[in-house]
Amino acid sequence: MTSSQSFGRATGWIVNHQWLAYLVLSSVSLIALMGYIDPDRVTRLFETAKPSEASLPSPAKTPAAAPPNVRAVSLSDAEAVIVVQSDDIFTPTGATALRQIVADIEALPYVTSVLWMDRVPELNIFGLPEPLFPRSDASTSRFEAAKEKALAHPLVAGQLLSLDAKTLLMLVNFDFILIGEDADCSERLRQTAEAAAAKFPTVQFSILVTGRVPIHLTLQKTHQDNETKFQVIGYAMVLLMAMVMFRGITAVIIVAMAPALGVFWTLGILHFFDLSDNPFNDVVLPVMLSLVGLTDGVHLMVQIRRFRAAGMTQREASRAGLEEVGLACFLTSVTTGIGFWSLTLAHHEIVREFGWSCVLGVVLTFIAVLTIIPLACSSWLGRFLPLDPNTGLIEKHLHRISGVLDLVLKAPRFISWAGIVVTFICLGISLSLRPDERRSSYLPARSESVRAMAVMDRALGGLEFSKVEVSWSPEIPSDSPEVLGVISDVDDLLSQEALIGNPVSIRNFIDALPGEGPPAERMSLLSLLPPPLKRAFYTPESRRASVTFRVQDLGIARYGEVFQRVEAGLSALQAKHPQFTLKLDGSAVSRWRNLYQIVVDLAASLGSAAGIIFIVLGLVYRSVPIGLISVIPNVFPLALTGAWLALSGQSLEVVSVCAFTVCLGIAVDDTIHFLTRFEEERIRTASHDEAIRKAFSGVGTSMIMTTLVLMVGFSSVMLSDMRDQRIFASMGLLTITSALFADLVILPAMLAYFLNRSTSDSEKASVMEQE
């Protein structure tokens, strides 16, 4: 009894005891439905009681000196940033319009504060109130003087106002309890500002909103919009393609039911694990699971139709279909699941969550395919299946494609070695890929947040902040001139880098005060600075200071050499001042430090997935040569895709790690179906070439159909306005297309050449032993 026959008997209960299959379907559907309706009701049943904080013994704490009751100014803690562009900022009408904008925004009940140029503490050693922005009735010369003064203020120039005085920032904070809807934090802010500016038609203002909260809401809204839109587009395109290929609505409905139910189950159950908000789970996961389910469903449907055309009853054809391709479908699900599981080894949490979501989805979709299609074909729906095996579009023209196979079998040696050489060349080119990451990659390119970020990159050096933390030992007094000297050296080091945007520290504020001299003389001026300004960059009770700077969203790899030079300079400074600690820190720096992890993640996920998959294939087919032969046809499409990325100037990103591993799991599916059929035919025929031809005639239709379905499905994701999803889709398209070429050309050639050669060698050895 072959492995396929054993698997067929093991799954025969699906057709023989249909009530049990319906019970499984109903149970899983009920659980998924609870995930959509009220997942907390289920998760609460598995929660363990946690001891309250009051019952836990609290460690003894040494009382620390209370810091001054001063609210420090912050440039990086704003929840939203309003970006105003105009040539009329320093004009009487422009000043009136800006004050009206601020007044109307502050009138919104959920806005707690607005920090802008007119609200920064003034550097006035005499303590006299003198705002930076003049009154609206001031003269033109007064506004020109105000512009010069603003551009001399360290907290304004390059921070709240661009150096050409044409871009102004307003930093907004919210009381989230009073926010009624998401639009309050983005669209309503812009609409309020635009309505206020419209009262002054002679002034031209361009207003955009970005920041931490608007960016998060943009990402969330895009996911919600895409979740429905692209699923509908993808499913419609796949169904249309399936109707064209099957030439029958009944077969399309049966095949489509299984992946649709698998997606329904997966998305519902993901709510129990709080994984539904992952950026890849709203568009990529449903479409991908649909394609994985459709590929196995097409193979199963093609076999069932053939058995029905041969005269079998509905139940007999369903059982025979499970026996014929059930094992191959199981193996494809195992290998695909292994590929997705390897993503859980990644460093990035988003990738790990996506990996677990995919594993869950593959398992559920496999169960759906293995139950829905045989049950439906055994029911009244199965009566309407077209029984002529040549009614499909692919079946009619398969003989034309088989001519390619004849050419392959005539020159297996050349094609085998050509495939191996091209694969290694593409791998070599792929090694030139360098990792990179951009914050805007996760957002729609035309979104307001991304456009505002681009404006801030050009005008102010970026939206994102990083810093150099300066700390000193207790032996150094906090008012020591050495503190100012070290901070000044750090500031000078950062100012040498063109990509470092506008460093600011207490050194800049002290320099803005009247007078000159070395740090030993000017450190005493620190006490004259307004406390909100001083404590933003200097906290003497904790012996810490900071030098902050802006980072553009150019791709964090662009900052690699910059940060390396800065860290080398900081190490040199720390060697000169051993009682000081200098640390480069911030979100951009953290992303740069973890950048190499993208390569590690790719190597770990691809390496582990490929190794396990090929070992599994070798064990299942009980043949080391088969396992080795399967390597090249499945590495070839990945190597070709990597070479395309490198030659087109793309970089290696987090989405690339997901795409490569996902594509490996999908690309190996057709290889498994071909090898499974080849192994069965090899038992029945004496010639390897004949076994290859029969394997092609048996599964070639399904391979071509599934590839076309996959291509259509990935094409639907290309319509997304999110760059990461388009990259994922383009990589999927190229990988799946080249995988079909590898399975129809390289794999048959390698089977014909290397297996025939090993057989000839073994025959020669047996002859020699007999002699």
Side-chain angles (χ1 to χ4, degrees), residues 92-131:
T93 309
T96 305
L98 288 171
R99 288 194 170 100
Q100 185 65 52
I101 290 172
V102 173
D104 288 358
I105 289 175
E106 288 183 325
L108 297 172
Y110 54 86
V111 173
T112 58
S113 66
V114 179
L115 177 64
W116 68 298
M117 178 176 59
D118 200 34
R119 297 283 175 82
V120 299
E122 180 56 34
L123 297 176
N124 191 319
I125 61 175
F126 301 106
L128 300 176
E130 185 181 354

mmCIF file of all heavy atoms in Angstrom, residues 92-131:
data_model
loop_
_atom_site.group_PDB
_atom_site.id
_atom_site.type_symbol
_atom_site.label_atom_id
_atom_site.label_comp_id
_atom_site.label_asym_id
_atom_site.label_seq_id
_atom_site.Cartn_x
_atom_site.Cartn_y
_atom_site.Cartn_z
ATOM 1 N N PRO A 92 1.622 91.295 8.714
ATOM 2 C CA PRO A 92 0.514 91.614 9.640
ATOM 3 C C PRO A 92 -0.686 90.690 9.451
ATOM 4 O O PRO A 92 -1.229 90.151 10.419
ATOM 5 C CB PRO A 92 0.178 93.062 9.294
ATOM 6 C CG PRO A 92 1.467 93.623 8.781
ATOM 7 C CD PRO A 92 2.113 92.499 8.033
ATOM 8 N N THR A 93 -1.113 90.488 8.204
ATOM 9 C CA THR A 93 -2.271 89.621 7.970
ATOM 10 C C THR A 93 -1.934 88.170 8.297
ATOM 11 O O THR A 93 -2.761 87.435 8.857
ATOM 12 C CB THR A 93 -2.732 89.725 6.509
ATOM 13 O OG1 THR A 93 -2.891 91.099 6.164
ATOM 14 C CG2 THR A 93 -4.048 89.009 6.306
ATOM 15 N N GLY A 94 -0.733 87.744 7.951
ATOM 16 C CA GLY A 94 -0.325 86.380 8.265
ATOM 17 C C GLY A 94 -0.298 86.139 9.756
ATOM 18 O O GLY A 94 -0.716 85.067 10.229
ATOM 19 N N ALA A 95 0.196 87.106 10.530
ATOM 20 C CA ALA A 95 0.233 86.957 11.984
ATOM 21 C C ALA A 95 -1.172 86.858 12.563
ATOM 22 O O ALA A 95 -1.448 86.041 13.452
ATOM 23 C CB ALA A 95 0.980 88.133 12.598
ATOM 24 N N THR A 96 -2.080 87.682 12.046
ATOM 25 C CA THR A 96 -3.465 87.619 12.512
ATOM 26 C C THR A 96 -4.094 86.276 12.193
ATOM 27 O O THR A 96 -4.796 85.677 13.017
ATOM 28 C CB THR A 96 -4.285 88.747 11.855
ATOM 29 O OG1 THR A 96 -3.654 90.008 12.106
ATOM 30 C CG2 THR A 96 -5.702 88.773 12.405
ATOM 31 N N ALA A 97 -3.829 85.768 10.988
ATOM 32 C CA ALA A 97 -4.393 84.487 10.580
ATOM 33 C C ALA A 97 -3.839 83.353 11.443
ATOM 34 O O ALA A 97 -4.587 82.456 11.861
ATOM 35 C CB ALA A 97 -4.082 84.232 9.111
ATOM 36 N N LEU A 98 -2.540 83.368 11.728
ATOM 37 C CA LEU A 98 -1.942 82.324 12.556
ATOM 38 C C LEU A 98 -2.509 82.338 13.966
ATOM 39 O O LEU A 98 -2.802 81.278 14.546
ATOM 40 C CB LEU A 98 -0.423 82.495 12.595
ATOM 41 C CG LEU A 98 0.328 82.145 11.306
ATOM 42 C CD1 LEU A 98 1.778 82.548 11.392
ATOM 43 C CD2 LEU A 98 0.222 80.635 11.014
ATOM 44 N N ARG A 99 -2.682 83.521 14.527
ATOM 45 C CA ARG A 99 -3.258 83.592 15.880
ATOM 46 C C ARG A 99 -4.714 83.114 15.882
ATOM 47 O O ARG A 99 -5.176 82.510 16.850
ATOM 48 C CB ARG A 99 -3.149 85.020 16.403
ATOM 49 C CG ARG A 99 -1.725 85.430 16.778
ATOM 50 C CD ARG A 99 -1.690 86.707 17.603
ATOM 51 N NE ARG A 99 -0.367 86.945 18.144
ATOM 52 C CZ ARG A 99 0.533 87.786 17.632
ATOM 53 N NH1 ARG A 99 0.230 88.462 16.525
ATOM 54 N NH2 ARG A 99 1.713 87.946 18.192
ATOM 55 N N GLN A 100 -5.425 83.380 14.795
ATOM 56 C CA GLN A 100 -6.797 82.900 14.699
ATOM 57 C C GLN A 100 -6.832 81.383 14.606
ATOM 58 O O GLN A 100 -7.684 80.724 15.205
ATOM 59 C CB GLN A 100 -7.471 83.519 13.464
ATOM 60 C CG GLN A 100 -8.948 83.173 13.342
ATOM 61 C CD GLN A 100 -9.768 83.766 14.475
ATOM 62 O OE1 GLN A 100 -9.690 84.967 14.743
ATOM 63 N NE2 GLN A 100 -10.547 82.933 15.171
ATOM 64 N N ILE A 101 -5.887 80.807 13.846
ATOM 65 C CA ILE A 101 -5.801 79.345 13.746
ATOM 66 C C ILE A 101 -5.561 78.730 15.117
ATOM 67 O O ILE A 101 -6.237 77.769 15.523
ATOM 68 C CB ILE A 101 -4.677 78.939 12.765
ATOM 69 C CG1 ILE A 101 -5.056 79.293 11.325
ATOM 70 C CG2 ILE A 101 -4.372 77.449 12.874
ATOM 71 C CD1 ILE A 101 -3.927 79.090 10.324
ATOM 72 N N VAL A 102 -4.606 79.289 15.865
ATOM 73 C CA VAL A 102 -4.294 78.753 17.184
ATOM 74 C C VAL A 102 -5.491 78.896 18.116
ATOM 75 O O VAL A 102 -5.838 77.969 18.866
ATOM 76 C CB VAL A 102 -3.059 79.461 17.767
ATOM 77 C CG1 VAL A 102 -2.827 79.035 19.210
ATOM 78 C CG2 VAL A 102 -1.824 79.164 16.929
ATOM 79 N N ALA A 103 -6.158 80.053 18.072
ATOM 80 C CA ALA A 103 -7.308 80.272 18.950
ATOM 81 C C ALA A 103 -8.433 79.279 18.645
ATOM 82 O O ALA A 103 -9.055 78.721 19.569
ATOM 83 C CB ALA A 103 -7.817 81.712 18.789
ATOM 84 N N ASP A 104 -8.699 79.035 17.370
ATOM 85 C CA ASP A 104 -9.772 78.108 17.015
ATOM 86 C C ASP A 104 -9.424 76.667 17.380
ATOM 87 O O ASP A 104 -10.290 75.889 17.781
ATOM 88 C CB ASP A 104 -10.069 78.202 15.512
ATOM 89 C CG ASP A 104 -10.771 79.505 15.150
ATOM 90 O OD1 ASP A 104 -11.045 80.306 16.070
ATOM 91 O OD2 ASP A 104 -11.021 79.734 13.950
ATOM 92 N N ILE A 105 -8.156 76.310 17.230
ATOM 93 C CA ILE A 105 -7.751 74.943 17.601
ATOM 94 C C ILE A 105 -7.818 74.769 19.115
ATOM 95 O O ILE A 105 -8.285 73.740 19.612
ATOM 96 C CB ILE A 105 -6.332 74.652 17.072
ATOM 97 C CG1 ILE A 105 -6.364 74.520 15.557
ATOM 98 C CG2 ILE A 105 -5.788 73.358 17.685
ATOM 99 C CD1 ILE A 105 -5.021 74.351 14.927
ATOM 100 N N GLU A 106 -7.373 75.766 19.863
ATOM 101 C CA GLU A 106 -7.446 75.671 21.320
ATOM 102 C C GLU A 106 -8.879 75.671 21.819
ATOM 103 O O GLU A 106 -9.156 75.193 22.924
ATOM 104 C CB GLU A 106 -6.671 76.819 21.949
ATOM 105 C CG GLU A 106 -5.163 76.687 21.814
ATOM 106 C CD GLU A 106 -4.408 77.804 22.502
ATOM 107 O OE1 GLU A 106 -4.911 78.948 22.509
ATOM 108 O OE2 GLU A 106 -3.314 77.539 23.031
ATOM 109 N N ALA A 107 -9.796 76.182 21.014
ATOM 110 C CA ALA A 107 -11.206 76.173 21.398
ATOM 111 C C ALA A 107 -11.838 74.794 21.283
ATOM 112 O O ALA A 107 -12.924 74.556 21.842
ATOM 113 C CB ALA A 107 -11.984 77.166 20.527
ATOM 114 N N LEU A 108 -11.170 73.895 20.575
ATOM 115 C CA LEU A 108 -11.672 72.525 20.506
ATOM 116 C C LEU A 108 -11.599 71.899 21.892
ATOM 117 O O LEU A 108 -10.567 71.999 22.566
ATOM 118 C CB LEU A 108 -10.856 71.704 19.508
ATOM 119 C CG LEU A 108 -10.912 72.172 18.048
ATOM 120 C CD1 LEU A 108 -9.916 71.395 17.195
ATOM 121 C CD2 LEU A 108 -12.324 72.024 17.489
ATOM 122 N N PRO A 109 -12.657 71.273 22.368
ATOM 123 C CA PRO A 109 -12.700 70.828 23.775
ATOM 124 C C PRO A 109 -11.642 69.797 24.139
ATOM 125 O O PRO A 109 -11.271 69.683 25.306
ATOM 126 C CB PRO A 109 -14.119 70.239 23.909
ATOM 127 C CG PRO A 109 -14.550 69.925 22.516
ATOM 128 C CD PRO A 109 -13.894 70.950 21.646
ATOM 129 N N TYR A 110 -11.162 69.048 23.174
ATOM 130 C CA TYR A 110 -10.216 67.974 23.477
ATOM 131 C C TYR A 110 -8.762 68.397 23.322
ATOM 132 O O TYR A 110 -7.857 67.609 23.576
ATOM 133 C CB TYR A 110 -10.487 66.765 22.585
ATOM 134 C CG TYR A 110 -10.492 67.069 21.108
ATOM 135 C CD1 TYR A 110 -9.319 67.064 20.362
ATOM 136 C CD2 TYR A 110 -11.677 67.386 20.454
ATOM 137 C CE1 TYR A 110 -9.322 67.354 19.008
ATOM 138 C CE2 TYR A 110 -11.699 67.679 19.093
ATOM 139 C CZ TYR A 110 -10.521 67.658 18.381
ATOM 140 O OH TYR A 110 -10.522 67.959 17.048
ATOM 141 N N VAL A 111 -8.493 69.627 22.906
ATOM 142 C CA VAL A 111 -7.130 70.126 22.760
ATOM 143 C C VAL A 111 -6.683 70.732 24.077
ATOM 144 O O VAL A 111 -7.324 71.647 24.602
ATOM 145 C CB VAL A 111 -7.039 71.154 21.620
ATOM 146 C CG1 VAL A 111 -5.649 71.794 21.594
ATOM 147 C CG2 VAL A 111 -7.337 70.491 20.285
ATOM 148 N N THR A 112 -5.589 70.235 24.638
ATOM 149 C CA THR A 112 -5.098 70.733 25.927
ATOM 150 C C THR A 112 -4.039 71.819 25.772
ATOM 151 O O THR A 112 -3.908 72.679 26.644
ATOM 152 C CB THR A 112 -4.520 69.582 26.756
ATOM 153 O OG1 THR A 112 -3.460 68.959 26.014
ATOM 154 C CG2 THR A 112 -5.587 68.538 27.051
ATOM 155 N N SER A 113 -3.248 71.763 24.687
ATOM 156 C CA SER A 113 -2.201 72.773 24.519
ATOM 157 C C SER A 113 -1.763 72.832 23.068
ATOM 158 O O SER A 113 -1.871 71.849 22.338
ATOM 159 C CB SER A 113 -0.993 72.463 25.412
ATOM 160 O OG SER A 113 -0.371 71.260 25.003
ATOM 161 N N VAL A 114 -1.278 74.007 22.684
ATOM 162 C CA VAL A 114 -0.688 74.224 21.364
ATOM 163 C C VAL A 114 0.616 74.982 21.573
ATOM 164 O O VAL A 114 0.610 76.111 22.075
ATOM 165 C CB VAL A 114 -1.619 75.014 20.427
ATOM 166 C CG1 VAL A 114 -0.930 75.232 19.079
ATOM 167 C CG2 VAL A 114 -2.948 74.302 20.237
ATOM 168 N N LEU A 115 1.721 74.353 21.217
ATOM 169 C CA LEU A 115 3.022 75.004 21.308
ATOM 170 C C LEU A 115 3.445 75.434 19.917
ATOM 171 O O LEU A 115 3.538 74.611 19.007
ATOM 172 C CB LEU A 115 4.061 74.047 21.898
ATOM 173 C CG LEU A 115 5.503 74.582 21.973
ATOM 174 C CD1 LEU A 115 5.594 75.776 22.910
ATOM 175 C CD2 LEU A 115 6.463 73.480 22.400
ATOM 176 N N TRP A 116 3.677 76.739 19.779
ATOM 177 C CA TRP A 116 4.177 77.245 18.503
ATOM 178 C C TRP A 116 5.108 78.414 18.765
ATOM 179 O O TRP A 116 5.416 78.730 19.914
ATOM 180 C CB TRP A 116 3.029 77.598 17.560
ATOM 181 C CG TRP A 116 2.182 78.794 17.963
ATOM 182 C CD1 TRP A 116 1.435 78.919 19.089
ATOM 183 C CD2 TRP A 116 2.014 80.007 17.233
ATOM 184 N NE1 TRP A 116 0.796 80.123 19.120
ATOM 185 C CE2 TRP A 116 1.133 80.817 17.979
ATOM 186 C CE3 TRP A 116 2.495 80.488 16.024
ATOM 187 C CZ2 TRP A 116 0.739 82.093 17.553
ATOM 188 C CZ3 TRP A 116 2.096 81.740 15.599
ATOM 189 C CH2 TRP A 116 1.232 82.524 16.355
ATOM 190 N N MET A 117 5.567 79.039 17.728
ATOM 191 C CA MET A 117 6.604 80.064 17.842
ATOM 192 C C MET A 117 6.252 81.160 18.840
ATOM 193 O O MET A 117 7.128 81.666 19.557
ATOM 194 C CB MET A 117 6.838 80.664 16.454
ATOM 195 C CG MET A 117 7.851 81.767 16.384
ATOM 196 S SD MET A 117 8.118 82.287 14.680
ATOM 197 C CE MET A 117 6.465 82.788 14.209
ATOM 198 N N ASP A 118 4.999 81.529 18.918
ATOM 199 C CA ASP A 118 4.597 82.641 19.787
ATOM 200 C C ASP A 118 4.472 82.229 21.244
ATOM 201 O O ASP A 118 4.222 83.090 22.096
ATOM 202 C CB ASP A 118 3.264 83.199 19.299
ATOM 203 C CG ASP A 118 3.021 84.611 19.812
ATOM 204 O OD1 ASP A 118 4.014 85.363 19.952
ATOM 205 O OD2 ASP A 118 1.858 84.970 20.071
ATOM 206 N N ARG A 119 4.641 80.925 21.545
ATOM 207 C CA ARG A 119 4.459 80.454 22.925
ATOM 208 C C ARG A 119 5.757 79.993 23.572
ATOM 209 O O ARG A 119 5.725 79.579 24.733
ATOM 210 C CB ARG A 119 3.462 79.281 22.924
ATOM 211 C CG ARG A 119 2.069 79.656 22.437
ATOM 212 C CD ARG A 119 1.288 80.406 23.502
ATOM 213 N NE ARG A 119 0.016 80.866 22.983
ATOM 214 C CZ ARG A 119 -1.075 80.101 22.893
ATOM 215 N NH1 ARG A 119 -1.020 78.840 23.278
ATOM 216 N NH2 ARG A 119 -2.194 80.605 22.427
ATOM 217 N N VAL A 120 6.868 80.050 22.893
ATOM 218 C CA VAL A 120 8.107 79.578 23.497
ATOM 219 C C VAL A 120 8.611 80.600 24.513
ATOM 220 O O VAL A 120 8.436 81.812 24.332
ATOM 221 C CB VAL A 120 9.202 79.323 22.426
ATOM 222 C CG1 VAL A 120 8.748 78.261 21.449
ATOM 223 C CG2 VAL A 120 9.548 80.607 21.692
ATOM 224 N N PRO A 121 9.214 80.141 25.605
ATOM 225 C CA PRO A 121 9.777 81.086 26.580
ATOM 226 C C PRO A 121 10.861 81.944 25.932
ATOM 227 O O PRO A 121 11.708 81.453 25.187
ATOM 228 C CB PRO A 121 10.356 80.168 27.659
ATOM 229 C CG PRO A 121 9.628 78.870 27.494
ATOM 230 C CD PRO A 121 9.353 78.743 26.044
ATOM 231 N N GLU A 122 10.808 83.227 26.217
ATOM 232 C CA GLU A 122 11.743 84.162 25.589
ATOM 233 C C GLU A 122 13.059 84.205 26.364
ATOM 234 O O GLU A 122 13.081 84.108 27.599
ATOM 235 C CB GLU A 122 11.117 85.561 25.540
ATOM 236 C CG GLU A 122 11.986 86.626 24.915
ATOM 237 C CD GLU A 122 12.424 86.255 23.508
ATOM 238 O OE1 GLU A 122 11.641 85.599 22.786
ATOM 239 O OE2 GLU A 122 13.566 86.591 23.147
ATOM 240 N N LEU A 123 14.165 84.342 25.621
ATOM 241 C CA LEU A 123 15.490 84.463 26.236
ATOM 242 C C LEU A 123 15.742 85.934 26.558
ATOM 243 O O LEU A 123 16.292 86.691 25.762
ATOM 244 C CB LEU A 123 16.559 83.941 25.274
ATOM 245 C CG LEU A 123 16.461 82.458 24.900
ATOM 246 C CD1 LEU A 123 17.508 82.107 23.864
ATOM 247 C CD2 LEU A 123 16.620 81.587 26.135
ATOM 248 N N ASN A 124 15.336 86.319 27.738
ATOM 249 C CA ASN A 124 15.453 87.725 28.153
ATOM 250 C C ASN A 124 16.041 87.752 29.554
ATOM 251 O O ASN A 124 15.390 87.387 30.533
ATOM 252 C CB ASN A 124 14.073 88.400 28.141
ATOM 253 C CG ASN A 124 14.176 89.904 28.295
ATOM 254 O OD1 ASN A 124 14.971 90.405 29.088
ATOM 255 N ND2 ASN A 124 13.361 90.630 27.534
ATOM 256 N N ILE A 125 17.313 88.148 29.661
ATOM 257 C CA ILE A 125 18.000 88.075 30.958
ATOM 258 C C ILE A 125 17.429 89.070 31.965
ATOM 259 O O ILE A 125 17.672 88.960 33.165
ATOM 260 C CB ILE A 125 19.510 88.332 30.790
ATOM 261 C CG1 ILE A 125 19.770 89.728 30.212
ATOM 262 C CG2 ILE A 125 20.134 87.256 29.931
ATOM 263 C CD1 ILE A 125 21.239 90.068 30.133
ATOM 264 N N PHE A 126 16.639 90.039 31.478
ATOM 265 C CA PHE A 126 16.045 91.002 32.399
ATOM 266 C C PHE A 126 14.650 90.582 32.844
ATOM 267 O O PHE A 126 14.010 91.279 33.628
ATOM 268 C CB PHE A 126 15.976 92.378 31.740
ATOM 269 C CG PHE A 126 17.327 92.900 31.326
ATOM 270 C CD1 PHE A 126 17.689 92.925 29.989
ATOM 271 C CD2 PHE A 126 18.254 93.315 32.265
ATOM 272 C CE1 PHE A 126 18.937 93.384 29.590
ATOM 273 C CE2 PHE A 126 19.499 93.780 31.878
ATOM 274 C CZ PHE A 126 19.843 93.818 30.539
ATOM 275 N N GLY A 127 14.161 89.451 32.310
ATOM 276 C CA GLY A 127 12.877 88.927 32.751
ATOM 277 C C GLY A 127 11.693 89.700 32.232
ATOM 278 O O GLY A 127 10.591 89.565 32.759
ATOM 279 N N LEU A 128 11.873 90.548 31.223
ATOM 280 C CA LEU A 128 10.765 91.335 30.691
ATOM 281 C C LEU A 128 10.024 90.533 29.632
ATOM 282 O O LEU A 128 10.645 89.929 28.763
ATOM 283 C CB LEU A 128 11.291 92.636 30.078
ATOM 284 C CG LEU A 128 12.056 93.555 31.051
ATOM 285 C CD1 LEU A 128 12.612 94.764 30.297
ATOM 286 C CD2 LEU A 128 11.160 94.015 32.191
ATOM 287 N N PRO A 129 8.682 90.519 29.672
ATOM 288 C CA PRO A 129 7.921 89.779 28.668
ATOM 289 C C PRO A 129 8.039 90.446 27.302
ATOM 290 O O PRO A 129 7.691 91.620 27.147
ATOM 291 C CB PRO A 129 6.483 89.837 29.202
ATOM 292 C CG PRO A 129 6.428 91.051 30.070
ATOM 293 C CD PRO A 129 7.800 91.189 30.674
ATOM 294 N N GLU A 130 8.540 89.741 26.357
ATOM 295 C CA GLU A 130 8.721 90.287 25.006
ATOM 296 C C GLU A 130 8.511 89.153 24.000
ATOM 297 O O GLU A 130 9.424 88.406 23.695
ATOM 298 C CB GLU A 130 10.122 90.877 24.855
ATOM 299 C CG GLU A 130 10.328 91.576 23.514
ATOM 300 C CD GLU A 130 11.726 92.139 23.383
ATOM 301 O OE1 GLU A 130 12.491 92.082 24.361
ATOM 302 O OE2 GLU A 130 12.055 92.629 22.296
ATOM 303 N N PRO A 131 7.298 88.986 23.501
ATOM 304 C CA PRO A 131 7.001 87.851 22.620
ATOM 305 C C PRO A 131 7.792 87.926 21.323
ATOM 306 O O PRO A 131 8.144 89.001 20.841
ATOM 307 C CB PRO A 131 5.492 87.997 22.373
ATOM 308 C CG PRO A 131 5.188 89.442 22.612
ATOM 309 C CD PRO A 131 6.130 89.880 23.691
#
